[in-house]
Amino acid sequence: MAFDKIDITFKEKLILESNDQLDKCEIAYETYGKLNKNKSNVILVCHALTGDQFCSGVHPSTNKKGWWDILVGPGKVIDTNFFFVICSNVIGGCQGSTGPSSINPKNGKQYNLDFPVITIKDMVEAQVRLIDALGIEKLFAVIGGSMGGMQALVWGALFKNRVNAIVPIATSYRHSAQNIAFHEIGRQSIMADPNWNKGLYNEFNVKPSRGLAVARMIAHITYLSEYGLQKKFGRNLQFSSSLSYRFDIDFQIESYLKYQGRTFVDRFDANSYLYITKAMDYFDLSNRRGGLSNLFKNNDATFCFFSFTSDWLFPTAETKTIIKSLNSSAASVSFVEIKTDNGHDSFLLKEPEFHKILKGFLSGLTKKLGL
Amino acid sequence: MSLRNDLKIISEFIEENEKILDVGCGEGDLIDFLSKKSVDCRGIELSQKGVNKCVEKGLTVIQGDANSDLQDYPNDVFTTVILSQTIHAMSSPEAVINDLIRIGKRAIISFPNFAYWKIRLDLLLKGRMPKNDILPYEWYNTPNIHLCSISDFEHFCKQKKLKIIKKVLISELGYKINSSFSENLMAYQGVYCISKR
């Protein structure tokens, strides 16, 4: 299908953090709402690992609701009657932005594993160029959850003059050892699939679907909480009232995870999954320019952090570490922890308190900035 | 919205364009009020419920503990740091006060006067731990572990060589009391603005 795209390398190539470069790089993006006269009502929404640019409305290829439709749209928390929302697919992604399944201009073939390893900062550099191309000087806010929150933090740390407010949700300043471990299992699972063919699966017209599905199943567990899983599925059986004494599906949780894996492979590219998980694993703001506190010195942006009590992938303690360093630079920072059983996924779900507070924050800032 | 008595007095101390930190800001009544007077306000609050309420109102507030988290802030970043009706619940009031006047050019502290005549009478006649509107707890569940009197506080300032820039004493009904020889007996609570000498 065709996506709205901008070539962000029409002026100059994109130099990556690895010192590698992309001579041609396109960004696929969607916008919602109307840009005001002063171009001061722009909110950049950053998607998480498996998200895409379709955060609101109906996704054109899955026909499902956009991944943040619950929050973004006319009259919603991120109100597109008022704000102009931009959401772009990250580089390395598979929904139209340049990634491993794009064509390498050097040889006319798909990059596959020849695609350079990208970082969260590279993703943000690409977004900055997109904003430049759209003629927007300063964003009202950058908002994102999980990997989207990492991007928001990079905006706040490295592009602070281009944004008024940073809203990192369920995220951290670095990927923890445990998070890297889960990602590595996912990558190993993809690479162990015989269909993966060292990343050249497209040339063989096959897909490493089983490996990718398992990667998704593992990851999906980390997005939920133990209590939430127990409450939702318990030990309930899927089909019958007795155990099958076979290796078919017995429990509802098995069926649920299988479904999550199956539906994921239809919409996501395995190599993209490798690249984006790697980008997250490489993320660590604390090893830049003399540590976290130095990074946020003389920062006029307003920060508003959200974490969720049952999120064990990005626990509250991680957020508190950033708050500590923001305090040491006396930055304007709010921090809210939401009580919920929904785990890491809470940022995508119906969490009335989270939504109410985010709305309050945005309207407070709107007044403060005289929008 | 009507502000608590001591908060009314504190708000009169704050001028336009100040940058303030309200330590233990509760649900943000004071900073909400001051924000409308073009004061740049921040808050720290121990209870997550209070924090969430504040941020929902559009206020800049984080969850934190004044006992430990004030240490993170650099020197002199605020014009005024406020600690209202909280000092007596701190584990180390002295350390907290030092932090207040370190991170702010001045600090405003309000506290209940434990030498108020009714409190004295309670103890004297009933022989029971005193309770009132601003000290509503029982001895076994009170968070107020470092209560002091007006005299105690002034003695502390003198001893630690802190400058009392301004003070206002409030009666039980919320009126300002003119300083007099009997202030330690008559004041229900005190509001002090202090700084390093």
Side-chain angles (χ1 to χ4, degrees), chain A residues 13-231:
Chain A
K13 60 195 177 196
L14 188 67
I15 306 287
L16 303 171
E17 222 179 346
S18 62
N19 284 325
D20 215 330
Q21 63 187 58
L22 286 172
D23 295 334
K24 184 173 161 64
C25 181
E26 290 180 319
I27 293 289
Y29 69 100
E30 287 291 308
T31 67
Y32 307 90
K34 272 198 180 128
L35 186 61
N36 67 6
K37 225 168 146 191
N38 308 330
K39 299 183 177 181
S40 59
N41 67 333
V42 187
I43 291 183
L44 178 70
V45 167
C46 302
H47 70 74
L49 170 58
T50 65
D52 52 38
Q53 63 272 41
F54 301 102
C55 64
S56 177
V58 175
H59 194 293
S61 45
T62 64
N63 276 325
K64 284 184 176 166
K65 277 183 181 171
W67 59 271
W68 234 8
D69 188 65
I70 200 165
L71 224 68
V72 184
K76 296 182 181 172
V77 171
I78 301 175
D79 186 354
T80 52
N81 287 330
F82 183 72
F83 291 114
F84 180 65
V85 173
I86 302 172
C87 187
S88 63
N89 186 212
V90 296
I91 57 169
C94 53
Q95 292 290 320
S97 289
T98 298
S101 53
S102 304
I103 301 297
N104 183 348
K106 283 196 180 113
N107 58 16
K109 285 162 72 177
Q110 271 185 331
Y111 276 107
N112 298 317
L113 293 199
D114 287 338
F115 192 73
V117 168
I118 42 132
T119 64
I120 301 292
K121 182 177 167 255
D122 294 332
M123 294 173 181
V124 173
E125 291 271 4
Q127 288 165 347
V128 174
R129 289 205 187 181
L130 171 69
I131 301 303
D132 286 341
L134 295 175
I136 292 152
E137 194 56 45
K138 195 161 189 177
L139 297 167
F140 178 82
V142 177
I143 305 178
S146 196
M147 185 181 86
M150 293 176 170
Q151 295 160 56
L153 277 173
V154 171
W155 273 92
L158 306 177
F159 301 97
K160 56 186 180 186
N161 300 328
R162 302 294 303 273
V163 56
N164 284 303
I166 306 290
V167 185
I169 305 160
T171 193
S172 174
Y173 61 98
R174 55 109 210 244
H175 222 212
S176 70
Q178 180 174 265
N179 293 1
I180 296 170
F182 278 115
H183 272 175
E184 178 58 8
I185 300 170
R187 285 190 295 264
Q188 288 298 332
S189 152
I190 290 168
M191 295 190 283
D193 188 320
N195 280 352
W196 184 61
N197 288 302
K198 296 195 162 130
L200 301 176
Y201 47 88
N202 285 316
E203 290 181 13
F204 295 86
N205 256 326
V206 288
K207 274 180 166 185
S209 298
R210 296 187 68 172
L212 182 58
V214 172
R216 176 63 170 178
M217 288 163 76
I218 298 157
H220 199 79
I221 302 169
T222 68
Y223 303 153
L224 309 172
S225 74
E226 188 198 2
Y227 180 80
L229 273 176
Q230 195 61 35
K231 201 169 74 175

Side-chain angles (χ1 to χ4, degrees), chain B residues 77-143:
Chain B
V77 283
F78 299 102
T79 54
T80 306
V81 182
I82 297 162
L83 187 71
S84 63
Q85 300 293 358
T86 310
I87 189 71
H88 43 289
M90 299 283 114
S91 61
S92 173
E94 182 178 359
V96 170
I97 290 174
N98 283 337
D99 267 330
L100 297 181
I101 53 176
R102 177 184 64 78
I103 66 180
K105 293 193 171 57
R106 53 179 201 163
I108 300 175
I109 300 170
S110 74
F111 59 91
N113 176 21
F114 206 65
Y116 181 51
W117 67 269
K118 278 192 187 171
I119 287 181
R120 296 188 198 199
L121 218 55
D122 259 7
L123 207 53
L124 188 68
L125 296 183
K126 288 193 217 150
R128 302 277 305 270
M129 284 302 283
K131 271 169 66 179
N132 60 31
D133 283 354
I134 50 177
L135 294 171
Y137 300 95
E138 298 289 347
W139 67 269
Y140 47 83
N141 62 14
T142 183

Side-chain angles (χ1 to χ4, degrees), chain B residues 3-140:
Chain B
L3 281 177
R4 216 171 60 200
N5 290 333
D6 61 317
L7 298 183
K8 255 184 237 160
I9 309 278
I10 293 171
S11 73
E12 289 164 14
F13 283 13
I14 308 289
E15 283 162 34
E16 267 186 29
N17 302 320
E18 277 204 54
K19 182 175 175 179
I20 67 146
L21 176 68
D22 187 359
V23 182
C25 63
E27 296 193 354
D29 289 350
L30 178 66
I31 49 176
D32 195 24
F33 177 80
L34 290 173
S35 296
K36 288 165 191 146
K37 292 200 328 188
S38 68
V39 176
D40 179 2
C41 301
R42 314 273 173 81
I44 300 184
E45 168 57 31
L46 188 59
S47 96
Q48 192 62 56
K49 207 174 136 217
V51 176
N52 295 11
K53 277 260 183 281
C54 289
V55 181
E56 192 188 326
K57 289 181 195 166
L59 304 170
T60 303
V61 175
I62 54 166
Q63 193 275 334
D65 184 345
N67 285 310
S68 53
D69 297 344
L70 293 178
Q71 292 159 16
D72 299 336
Y73 291 87
N75 297 350
D76 283 332
V77 283
F78 299 102
T79 54
T80 306
V81 182
I82 297 162
L83 187 71
S84 63
Q85 300 293 358
T86 310
I87 189 71
H88 43 289
M90 299 283 114
S91 61
S92 173
E94 182 178 359
V96 170
I97 290 174
N98 283 337
D99 267 330
L100 297 181
I101 53 176
R102 177 184 64 78
I103 66 180
K105 293 193 171 57
R106 53 179 201 163
I108 300 175
I109 300 170
S110 74
F111 59 91
N113 176 21
F114 206 65
Y116 181 51
W117 67 269
K118 278 192 187 171
I119 287 181
R120 296 188 198 199
L121 218 55
D122 259 7
L123 207 53
L124 188 68
L125 296 183
K126 288 193 217 150
R128 302 277 305 270
M129 284 302 283
K131 271 169 66 179
N132 60 31
D133 283 354
I134 50 177
L135 294 171
Y137 300 95
E138 298 289 347
W139 67 269
Y140 47 83

